[in-house]
Amino acid sequence: MLRAEDRRFVVVDSNSDPLLALRTGPSCARWWRYHDVDYSKTDPPVLYDLMAVKAAFRTTVKADFSVERVKFLRRPENRRLAGH
């Protein structure tokens, strides 16, 4: 998660398309939900992946994505720009 504005969150997920997305609180809860079928096949417990990722080094460039900036990048006419 990069930023929270009002009730929306700017998130980055390298496993999904698009890479940048806007989510609501309930959408984040569904996104983080994990059914542990290794524990029980018939009635798996629901777990949430809330582990924060902290870089082991300091980056020189910091991303600054607002909700409006993500909306702009996700417009069809900006698809090539968003790919960079």
Side-chain angles (χ1 to χ4, degrees):
M1 190 170 321
L2 296 177
R3 177 180 291 224
E5 290 181 19
D6 298 323
R7 294 183 179 154
R8 296 178 295 182
F9 301 92
V10 177
V11 297
V12 174
D13 184 0
S14 59
N15 290 325
S16 66
D17 186 32
L19 177 70
L20 287 171
L22 299 175
R23 294 187 183 268
T24 61
S27 173
C28 284
R30 285 189 303 275
W31 182 45
W32 287 326
R33 186 179 304 147
Y34 169 71
H35 296 274
D36 190 5
V37 293
D38 292 334
Y39 182 81
S40 171
K41 299 280 187 209
T42 57
D43 189 23
V46 176
L47 305 175
Y48 291 90
D49 181 6
L50 300 175
M51 181 177 289
V53 177
K54 184 177 178 185
F57 55 89
R58 186 179 180 109
T59 58
T60 56
V61 178
K62 191 172 184 177
D64 184 20
F65 290 104
S66 66
V67 169
E68 290 305 314
R69 198 169 284 166
V70 171
K71 281 183 179 178
F72 174 79
L73 288 172
R74 300 239 354 243
R75 289 182 188 167
E77 63 269 20
N78 295 326
R79 185 175 283 293
R80 283 187 43 209
L81 173 64
H84 295 288

